[in-house]
Coordinates of all heavy atoms in Angstrom, one line a residue:
M14 N 108.4 126.5 92.3 CA 109.7 126.1 92.9 C 110.8 126.7 92.0 O 110.8 126.5 90.8 CB 109.8 124.6 92.9 CG 111.0 124.0 93.4 SD 110.8 122.3 93.6 CE 111.7 122.0 95.1
S15 N 111.6 127.5 92.5 CA 112.6 128.3 91.8 C 113.9 127.5 91.5 O 114.6 127.8 90.5 CB 113.0 129.6 92.5 OG 113.5 129.3 93.7
Q16 N 114.2 126.5 92.3 CA 115.5 125.8 92.1 C 115.2 124.3 91.8 O 114.4 123.7 92.6 CB 116.3 125.9 93.4 CG 117.7 125.2 93.2 CD 118.5 125.2 94.5 OE1 118.0 125.7 95.5 NE2 119.7 124.8 94.4
V17 N 115.7 123.8 90.8 CA 115.5 122.5 90.4 C 116.9 121.8 90.5 O 117.8 122.1 89.8 CB 115.0 122.3 89.0 CG1 114.9 120.8 88.6 CG2 113.6 123.0 88.9
S18 N 117.0 120.9 91.4 CA 118.3 120.1 91.5 C 118.0 118.7 91.9 O 117.0 118.4 92.7 CB 119.2 120.8 92.6 OG 118.6 120.7 93.8
H19 N 118.7 117.8 91.4 CA 118.6 116.4 91.7 C 117.2 115.8 91.5 O 116.7 115.0 92.3 CB 119.1 116.1 93.1 CG 120.5 116.4 93.3 ND1 120.9 117.6 93.9 CD2 121.6 115.8 93.0 CE1 122.3 117.6 94.0 NE2 122.7 116.5 93.4
R20 N 116.5 116.3 90.5 CA 115.2 115.8 90.2 C 115.2 114.6 89.4 O 115.9 114.5 88.4 CB 114.3 116.9 89.5 CG 112.9 116.4 89.3 CD 112.1 117.4 88.7 NE 112.2 117.3 87.2 CZ 111.8 118.2 86.3 NH1 111.3 119.3 86.7 NH2 112.0 118.0 85.1
L21 N 114.6 113.5 89.9 CA 114.5 112.3 89.2 C 113.0 111.9 89.0 O 112.2 112.7 89.4 CB 115.1 111.2 90.1 CG 116.6 111.5 90.5 CD1 117.0 110.4 91.6 CD2 117.5 111.4 89.3
D22 N 112.7 110.8 88.3 CA 111.3 110.5 88.1 C 110.9 109.6 89.4 O 111.7 109.3 90.2 CB 111.1 109.8 86.8 CG 111.7 108.5 86.7 OD1 111.8 107.8 87.6 OD2 112.2 108.2 85.5
G23 N 109.6 109.4 89.4 CA 109.0 108.7 90.6 C 109.5 107.2 90.8 O 109.4 106.7 91.9
N24 N 110.3 106.7 89.8 CA 110.8 105.3 90.0 C 111.8 105.3 91.1 O 111.9 104.2 91.7 CB 111.5 104.9 88.7 CG 110.5 104.6 87.6 OD1 109.6 103.7 87.8 ND2 110.6 105.3 86.5
V25 N 112.5 106.4 91.5 CA 113.5 106.4 92.5 C 112.8 106.1 93.9 O 113.5 105.6 94.8 CB 114.3 107.7 92.5 CG1 113.5 108.8 93.1 CG2 115.6 107.5 93.3
A26 N 111.5 106.4 94.0 CA 110.9 106.2 95.3 C 110.3 104.8 95.4 O 109.8 104.4 96.5 CB 109.7 107.2 95.5
A27 N 110.3 104.0 94.4 CA 109.7 102.7 94.3 C 110.3 101.7 95.3 O 109.7 100.9 95.9 CB 109.7 102.1 92.9
G28 N 111.6 101.8 95.4 CA 112.3 100.8 96.3 C 111.9 100.9 97.7 O 111.4 99.9 98.3
P29 N 112.0 102.1 98.4 CA 111.5 102.2 99.7 C 110.0 101.9 99.9 O 109.6 101.3 100.9 CB 111.8 103.6 100.1 CG 112.9 104.0 99.2 CD 112.6 103.3 97.9
L30 N 109.2 102.3 98.9 CA 107.8 102.1 99.0 C 107.4 100.6 98.8 O 106.3 100.2 99.2 CB 107.0 103.0 98.0 CG 107.1 104.5 98.4 CD1 106.4 105.3 97.2 CD2 106.4 104.8 99.7
A31 N 108.3 99.8 98.2 CA 107.9 98.4 98.1 C 107.8 97.8 99.5 O 107.1 96.7 99.6 CB 109.0 97.7 97.2
T32 N 108.4 98.3 100.5 CA 108.3 97.8 101.8 C 106.9 97.9 102.3 O 106.4 97.1 103.1 CB 109.3 98.6 102.8 OG1 110.6 98.5 102.3 CG2 109.2 98.1 104.2
L33 N 106.2 99.0 101.9 CA 104.9 99.3 102.4 C 103.8 98.7 101.6 O 102.8 98.3 102.1 CB 104.7 100.9 102.5 CG 103.5 101.4 103.1 CD1 103.3 101.1 104.5 CD2 103.5 102.9 102.9
F34 N 103.9 98.8 100.3 CA 102.9 98.3 99.4 C 103.2 97.0 98.7 O 104.3 96.7 98.4 CB 102.6 99.3 98.3 CG 102.2 100.7 98.8 CD1 103.1 101.8 98.7 CD2 101.0 100.9 99.3 CE1 102.7 103.0 99.2 CE2 100.6 102.1 99.9 CZ 101.4 103.2 99.8
A35 N 102.2 96.1 98.6 CA 102.3 94.8 98.0 C 102.2 94.8 96.5 O 102.2 93.8 95.8 CB 101.3 93.9 98.6
F36 N 102.2 96.0 95.9 CA 102.1 96.2 94.5 C 103.2 97.1 94.0 O 103.8 97.9 94.8 CB 100.7 96.7 94.0 CG 100.3 97.9 94.8 CD1 100.6 99.2 94.4 CD2 99.5 97.8 96.0 CE1 100.3 100.3 95.1 CE2 99.2 98.9 96.7 CZ 99.5 100.2 96.2
D37 N 103.4 97.2 92.7 CA 104.4 98.1 92.2 C 103.8 99.5 92.0 O 103.0 99.7 91.2 CB 104.9 97.6 90.8 CG 105.9 98.5 90.2 OD1 106.3 99.5 90.8 OD2 106.3 98.2 89.0
I38 N 104.2 100.4 92.9 CA 103.5 101.7 93.0 C 103.8 102.5 91.7 O 103.0 103.4 91.3 CB 104.0 102.5 94.2 CG1 103.0 103.7 94.4 CG2 105.4 102.9 94.1 CD1 103.1 104.4 95.7
T39 N 104.8 102.2 91.0 CA 105.1 103.0 89.7 C 104.0 102.8 88.7 O 103.9 103.6 87.8 CB 106.5 102.6 89.1 OG1 106.5 101.2 88.8 CG2 107.6 102.9 90.1
T40 N 103.3 101.7 88.8 CA 102.2 101.4 87.8 C 100.9 101.9 88.2 O 99.9 101.8 87.5 CB 102.2 99.9 87.5 OG1 101.8 99.2 88.7 CG2 103.5 99.4 86.9
T41 N 100.8 102.5 89.4 CA 99.5 103.0 89.9 C 99.3 104.5 89.3 O 100.2 105.2 88.9 CB 99.5 103.2 91.4 OG1 100.5 104.1 91.8 CG2 99.7 101.8 92.1
R42 N 98.0 104.7 89.2 CA 97.6 106.0 88.7 C 97.2 106.9 89.9 O 96.3 106.5 90.7 CB 96.4 105.9 87.8 CG 96.1 107.2 87.0 CD 95.3 106.9 85.7 NE 95.1 108.1 85.0 CZ 96.0 108.6 84.1 NH1 97.1 108.0 83.9 NH2 95.7 109.7 83.5
C43 N 97.9 108.0 90.1 CA 97.7 108.8 91.3 C 97.1 110.1 90.9 O 97.4 110.7 89.9 CB 99.1 109.0 92.1 SG 99.8 107.5 92.6
T44 N 96.3 110.6 91.8 CA 95.6 111.9 91.6 C 96.2 112.9 92.6 O 96.1 112.6 93.8 CB 94.1 111.8 91.7 OG1 93.6 110.8 90.8 CG2 93.4 113.2 91.5
C45 N 96.7 114.0 92.1 CA 97.2 115.0 93.0 C 96.1 115.7 93.8 O 95.1 116.2 93.2 CB 98.0 116.1 92.1 SG 98.6 117.5 93.0
A46 N 96.3 115.8 95.1 CA 95.3 116.4 96.0 C 95.3 118.0 95.8 O 94.3 118.6 96.1 CB 95.6 116.1 97.4
T47 N 96.3 118.5 95.2 CA 96.4 120.0 95.1 C 95.6 120.5 93.8 O 94.8 121.3 93.9 CB 97.8 120.4 95.1 OG1 98.5 120.0 96.3 CG2 97.9 122.0 94.9
C48 N 96.0 119.8 92.7 CA 95.4 120.3 91.4 C 94.4 119.3 90.8 O 93.7 119.7 89.8 CB 96.5 120.7 90.5 SG 97.4 119.3 89.7
G49 N 94.4 118.1 91.2 CA 93.4 117.1 90.7 C 93.9 116.4 89.5 O 93.3 115.5 88.9
A50 N 95.2 116.7 89.0 CA 95.7 116.0 87.8 C 96.1 114.6 88.2 O 96.4 114.3 89.3 CB 97.0 116.7 87.3
A51 N 95.9 113.7 87.2 CA 96.2 112.2 87.5 C 97.3 111.8 86.5 O 97.3 112.2 85.3 CB 94.9 111.4 87.3
A52 N 98.2 111.0 87.0 CA 99.3 110.4 86.2 C 99.8 109.2 86.8 O 99.5 108.9 88.0 CB 100.4 111.5 86.1
L53 N 100.6 108.4 86.0 CA 101.2 107.3 86.6 C 102.3 107.8 87.7 O 102.9 108.8 87.5 CB 102.0 106.5 85.5 CG 101.1 105.7 84.5 CD1 102.0 105.1 83.5 CD2 100.3 104.7 85.2
F54 N 102.4 107.1 88.8 CA 103.3 107.5 89.8 C 104.7 107.7 89.3 O 105.4 108.6 89.7 CB 103.4 106.4 90.9 CG 104.2 106.9 92.1 CD1 103.7 107.7 93.1 CD2 105.5 106.5 92.2 CE1 104.4 108.1 94.2 CE2 106.3 106.9 93.3 CZ 105.7 107.7 94.3
A55 N 105.2 106.9 88.3 CA 106.5 107.0 87.8 C 106.7 108.3 87.0 O 107.9 108.8 86.8 CB 106.8 105.8 86.8
E56 N 105.6 109.0 86.6 CA 105.7 110.3 85.9 C 105.9 111.5 86.9 O 106.1 112.6 86.4 CB 104.5 110.4 85.0 CG 104.5 109.4 83.9 CD 103.2 109.4 83.1 OE1 102.2 110.0 83.6 OE2 103.2 108.7 82.1
Y57 N 105.6 111.3 88.1 CA 105.8 112.4 89.1 C 107.3 112.6 89.3 O 108.1 111.8 89.0 CB 105.1 112.0 90.4 CG 103.6 112.2 90.3 CD1 102.8 111.1 89.9 CD2 103.0 113.4 90.7 CE1 101.4 111.3 89.8 CE2 101.6 113.5 90.6 CZ 100.9 112.5 90.1 OH 99.5 112.6 90.0
H58 N 107.6 113.8 89.8 CA 109.0 114.2 90.0 C 109.4 113.9 91.4 O 108.8 114.3 92.4 CB 109.2 115.7 89.7 CG 108.9 116.1 88.3 ND1 108.7 117.4 88.0 CD2 108.8 115.4 87.2 CE1 108.4 117.4 86.7 NE2 108.5 116.2 86.2
A59 N 110.6 113.2 91.5 CA 111.1 112.9 92.9 C 112.4 113.7 93.2 O 113.3 113.8 92.3 CB 111.4 111.4 92.9
Y60 N 112.5 114.2 94.3 CA 113.6 115.0 94.8 C 114.2 114.3 96.0 O 113.5 114.0 97.0 CB 113.1 116.4 95.2 CG 112.6 117.2 94.1 CD1 111.2 117.1 93.7 CD2 113.4 118.0 93.3 CE1 110.7 117.8 92.7 CE2 112.8 118.7 92.2 CZ 111.5 118.6 91.9 OH 111.0 119.2 90.8
T61 N 115.5 113.9 95.8 CA 116.1 113.1 96.9 C 117.1 113.9 97.6 O 117.9 113.3 98.4 CB 116.8 111.9 96.2 OG1 117.8 112.3 95.2 CG2 115.8 111.0 95.5
D62 N 117.3 115.2 97.4 CA 118.3 116.0 98.0 C 117.8 116.7 99.3 O 118.4 117.5 99.9 CB 118.9 117.0 97.1 CG 118.0 117.9 96.4 OD1 116.8 117.5 96.4 OD2 118.4 118.9 95.8
A63 N 116.5 116.4 99.7 CA 116.0 116.9 100.9 C 116.2 115.8 102.0 O 116.6 114.7 101.7 CB 114.5 117.2 100.7
P64 N 115.9 116.2 103.2 CA 115.9 115.0 104.2 C 114.8 114.0 103.8 O 113.6 114.4 103.8 CB 115.5 115.7 105.5 CG 115.9 117.1 105.3 CD 115.6 117.4 103.8
G65 N 115.1 112.9 103.3 CA 114.2 111.9 102.8 C 113.9 112.2 101.3 O 114.7 112.9 100.6
T66 N 112.8 111.7 100.8 CA 112.5 111.9 99.4 C 111.1 112.6 99.3 O 110.2 112.3 100.1 CB 112.4 110.5 98.7 OG1 113.7 109.9 98.7 CG2 111.9 110.6 97.2
V67 N 111.0 113.6 98.4 CA 109.8 114.2 98.2 C 109.3 114.0 96.8 O 110.2 114.2 95.8 CB 109.9 115.8 98.5 CG1 108.7 116.5 98.1 CG2 110.3 116.0 99.9
V68 N 108.1 113.6 96.5 CA 107.6 113.3 95.2 C 106.5 114.5 94.9 O 105.6 114.6 95.7 CB 106.9 112.0 95.1 CG1 106.3 111.7 93.7 CG2 107.9 110.9 95.4
R69 N 106.8 115.2 93.8 CA 106.0 116.3 93.5 C 105.2 116.1 92.2 O 105.7 115.5 91.3 CB 106.8 117.6 93.4 CG 107.4 118.1 94.7 CD 108.1 119.4 94.6 NE 108.5 119.9 95.8 CZ 107.7 120.8 96.6 NH1 106.6 121.2 96.1 NH2 108.2 121.2 97.7
C70 N 104.1 116.8 92.1 CA 103.3 116.8 90.9 C 104.0 117.6 89.8 O 104.4 118.7 90.0 CB 101.9 117.5 91.2 SG 100.9 117.7 89.7
P71 N 104.1 117.0 88.6 CA 104.8 117.7 87.5 C 104.0 119.0 87.0 O 104.5 119.8 86.3 CB 105.0 116.7 86.4 CG 104.0 115.7 86.7 CD 103.7 115.7 88.2
R72 N 102.7 118.9 87.3 CA 101.8 120.0 86.8 C 101.9 121.2 87.7 O 102.0 122.4 87.3 CB 100.4 119.5 86.6 CG 99.4 120.5 86.1 CD 98.1 119.8 85.9 NE 97.1 120.9 85.6 CZ 95.8 120.6 85.6 NH1 95.3 119.4 85.8 NH2 94.9 121.6 85.5
C73 N 101.7 121.0 89.0 CA 101.5 122.1 89.9 C 102.6 122.2 91.0 O 102.6 123.1 91.8 CB 100.1 122.1 90.6 SG 100.0 120.8 91.9
E74 N 103.5 121.2 91.0 CA 104.6 121.2 92.0 C 104.1 120.8 93.4 O 104.9 120.9 94.4 CB 105.5 122.4 92.0 CG 106.2 122.7 90.7 CD 107.4 121.8 90.5 OE1 108.0 121.4 91.5 OE2 107.7 121.5 89.3
G75 N 102.8 120.5 93.6 CA 102.3 120.1 94.9 C 103.0 118.8 95.4 O 103.4 118.0 94.5
V76 N 103.1 118.7 96.6 CA 103.8 117.5 97.2 C 102.8 116.4 97.2 O 101.7 116.5 97.8 CB 104.3 117.8 98.6 CG1 104.8 116.5 99.2 CG2 105.4 118.8 98.6
L77 N 103.1 115.3 96.6 CA 102.3 114.1 96.6 C 102.6 113.2 97.7 O 101.8 112.7 98.4 CB 102.5 113.4 95.2 CG 101.4 112.3 94.9 CD1 100.2 112.9 94.4 CD2 102.0 111.3 93.9
V78 N 103.9 112.9 97.8 CA 104.4 111.9 98.8 C 105.7 112.4 99.5 O 106.5 113.0 98.8 CB 104.7 110.5 98.2 CG1 105.3 109.6 99.2 CG2 103.4 110.0 97.5
R79 N 105.8 112.3 100.8 CA 107.0 112.5 101.5 C 107.4 111.1 102.1 O 106.5 110.5 102.7 CB 106.9 113.5 102.6 CG 106.6 114.9 102.2 CD 106.5 115.8 103.4 NE 106.2 117.1 103.0 CZ 104.9 117.6 103.0 NH1 103.9 116.9 103.3 NH2 104.7 118.9 102.7
L80 N 108.7 110.8 102.0 CA 109.1 109.5 102.7 C 110.5 109.7 103.3 O 111.3 110.4 102.7 CB 109.0 108.3 101.8 CG 109.8 108.2 100.6 CD1 110.9 107.2 100.8 CD2 108.9 107.7 99.4
A81 N 110.6 109.1 104.4 CA 111.9 109.2 105.1 C 112.2 107.8 105.7 O 111.3 107.1 106.2 CB 111.9 110.2 106.3
E82 N 113.4 107.4 105.5 CA 113.9 106.1 106.1 C 114.9 106.4 107.2 O 115.9 107.2 107.0 CB 114.6 105.3 105.0 CG 113.7 104.9 103.9 CD 114.4 104.1 102.8 OE1 114.9 104.7 101.9 OE2 114.4 102.8 102.9
T83 N 114.7 105.8 108.3 CA 115.7 105.8 109.4 C 115.9 104.3 109.8 O 115.1 103.4 109.3 CB 115.1 106.6 110.6 OG1 114.0 105.9 111.1 CG2 114.8 108.0 110.3
P84 N 117.0 104.0 110.5 CA 117.2 102.6 110.8 C 116.0 102.0 111.4 O 115.5 102.4 112.5 CB 118.4 102.7 111.7 CG 119.1 104.0 111.4 CD 118.0 104.9 111.0
G85 N 115.4 101.0 110.8 CA 114.3 100.2 111.3 C 112.9 100.8 111.0 O 111.9 100.3 111.4
H86 N 112.9 102.0 110.3 CA 111.6 102.7 110.1 C 111.5 103.3 108.7 O 112.5 103.7 108.1 CB 111.4 103.9 111.0 CG 111.4 103.4 112.5 ND1 110.3 103.2 113.1 CD2 112.4 103.3 113.4 CE1 110.5 102.8 114.4 NE2 111.8 102.9 114.6
L87 N 110.3 103.2 108.2 CA 110.0 103.9 106.9 C 108.7 104.8 107.2 O 107.7 104.3 107.6 CB 109.6 102.9 105.8 CG 109.1 103.6 104.5 CD1 110.2 104.5 103.9 CD2 108.7 102.5 103.5
C88 N 108.8 106.1 107.1 CA 107.7 107.0 107.4 C 107.2 107.6 106.1 O 108.0 108.1 105.3 CB 108.2 108.1 108.3 SG 108.8 107.5 109.9
V89 N 105.9 107.5 105.8 CA 105.3 107.9 104.5 C 104.2 108.8 104.8 O 103.3 108.5 105.6 CB 104.9 106.7 103.7 CG1 104.2 107.1 102.4 CG2 106.0 105.7 103.5
D90 N 104.2 109.9 104.1 CA 103.1 110.9 104.2 C 102.5 111.0 102.8 O 103.1 111.4 101.9 CB 103.6 112.3 104.6 CG 102.6 113.4 104.6 OD1 101.4 113.1 104.2 OD2 102.9 114.5 105.1
L91 N 101.2 110.5 102.7 CA 100.5 110.4 101.4 C 99.4 111.4 101.3 O 98.6 111.3 100.3 CB 100.0 109.0 101.2 CG 100.9 107.9 100.9 CD1 100.2 106.5 101.1 CD2 101.5 108.0 99.5
R92 N 99.4 112.4 102.1 CA 98.2 113.3 102.2 C 98.1 114.1 100.8 O 97.0 114.6 100.5 CB 98.2 114.2 103.3 CG 99.2 115.3 103.3 CD 99.1 116.1 104.6 NE 100.3 115.7 105.4 CZ 100.7 116.4 106.5 NH1 100.0 117.4 106.9 NH2 101.8 116.0 107.1
G93 N 99.2 114.2 100.1 CA 99.1 114.9 98.8 C 98.6 114.1 97.7 O 98.4 114.6 96.6
A94 N 98.3 112.8 97.9 CA 97.6 112.0 96.9 C 96.2 111.8 97.2 O 95.8 111.2 98.2 CB 98.4 110.6 96.9
R95 N 95.3 112.4 96.4 CA 93.9 112.3 96.6 C 93.4 110.9 96.4 O 92.6 110.4 97.1 CB 93.2 113.3 95.7 CG 91.7 113.2 95.9 CD 90.9 114.0 94.9 NE 91.3 115.4 94.8 CZ 91.1 116.2 93.8 NH1 90.4 115.8 92.8 NH2 91.5 117.4 93.8
L96 N 94.0 110.2 95.4 CA 93.6 108.9 95.1 C 94.8 108.1 94.5 O 95.6 108.6 93.8 CB 92.5 108.9 94.0 CG 92.0 107.6 93.5 CD1 91.2 106.9 94.6 CD2 91.1 107.8 92.3
V97 N 95.0 106.9 95.0 CA 96.0 106.0 94.4 C 95.2 104.8 93.8 O 94.6 104.0 94.5 CB 97.0 105.4 95.4 CG1 98.0 104.5 94.8 CG2 97.7 106.6 96.1
D98 N 95.2 104.7 92.4 CA 94.4 103.7 91.7 C 95.3 102.5 91.4 O 96.2 102.7 90.5 CB 93.8 104.3 90.5 CG 92.9 103.4 89.7 OD1 92.8 102.2 90.0 OD2 92.3 103.9 88.7
V99 N 95.0 101.3 92.0 CA 95.8 100.2 91.7 C 95.0 99.2 90.9 O 93.9 98.8 91.2 CB 96.2 99.5 93.1 CG1 97.0 98.2 92.8 CG2 96.9 100.4 94.0
A100 N 95.5 98.9 89.7 CA 94.8 98.0 88.8 C 95.0 96.6 89.3 O 96.0 96.2 89.9 CB 95.5 98.1 87.4
D101 N 94.0 95.7 89.0 CA 94.1 94.3 89.3 C 95.3 93.7 88.6 O 95.8 94.3 87.6 CB 92.8 93.5 88.8 CG 91.6 93.9 89.6 OD1 91.7 94.4 90.7 OD2 90.5 93.7 89.2
S102 N 95.8 92.6 89.1 CA 96.9 92.0 88.5 C 96.8 91.7 87.0 O 97.7 91.6 86.2 CB 97.3 90.7 89.2 OG 96.2 89.8 89.2
D103 N 95.5 91.5 86.6 CA 95.3 91.2 85.1 C 95.1 92.6 84.4 O 94.8 92.6 83.2 CB 94.1 90.3 84.9 CG 92.8 91.0 85.4 OD1 92.8 92.1 85.9 OD2 91.7 90.3 85.3
G104 N 95.3 93.7 85.0 CA 95.2 95.0 84.4 C 93.8 95.6 84.4 O 93.7 96.8 84.0
A105 N 92.8 94.9 84.8 CA 91.5 95.4 84.9 C 91.3 96.3 86.1 O 91.8 96.0 87.2 CB 90.4 94.3 84.8
T106 N 90.6 97.4 86.0 CA 90.3 98.2 87.2 C 88.9 98.2 87.6 O 88.0 97.9 86.8 CB 90.7 99.7 87.0 OG1 90.1 100.2 85.8 CG2 92.2 99.8 86.9
Ligands
LIG14 ZN1 99.2 118.8 91.0

């Protein structure tokens, strides 16, 4: 990616995704489907200057998550996440 603008961390995507998931996605460990690297969701890079929000892998720039909000709808594309690992509420996996 040659142009970096308005890049934030994955925390910016947590608000809209809280509608979909019953857990705090920022604490999940996600595996990138493109390169296989795993990291906490909050460590991924979020770009909010596209139509919707795009969350990219900091290692390979592969797209992990795309999300778009329209009135009454939240559309999420998770195909770039090979695995989303949610720890039990007591922290055990
Ligand atoms: Zn990657």
Side-chain angles (χ1 to χ4, degrees):
M14 182 171 215
S15 60
Q16 182 182 9
V17 176
S18 62
H19 298 99
R20 185 178 84 193
L21 305 169
D22 65 36
N24 288 302
V25 74
L30 289 174
T32 302
L33 184 64
F34 298 112
F36 50 86
D37 179 2
I38 195 165
T39 61
T40 63
T41 63
R42 191 158 184 83
C43 299
T44 302
C45 173
T47 303
C48 74
L53 291 175
F54 185 84
E56 296 172 346
Y57 283 85
H58 296 163
Y60 297 86
T61 59
D62 54 344
T66 298
V67 175
V68 179
R69 290 183 173 272
C70 175
R72 181 174 168 195
C73 75
E74 297 286 331
V76 175
L77 193 80
V78 177
R79 294 180 180 94
L80 63 105
E82 294 179 274
T83 60
H86 296 271
L87 173 64
C88 298
V89 180
D90 177 352
L91 287 168
R92 77 182 104 169
R95 181 187 305 164
L96 179 69
V97 178
D98 182 353
V99 182
D101 290 343
S102 58
D103 62 1
T106 55

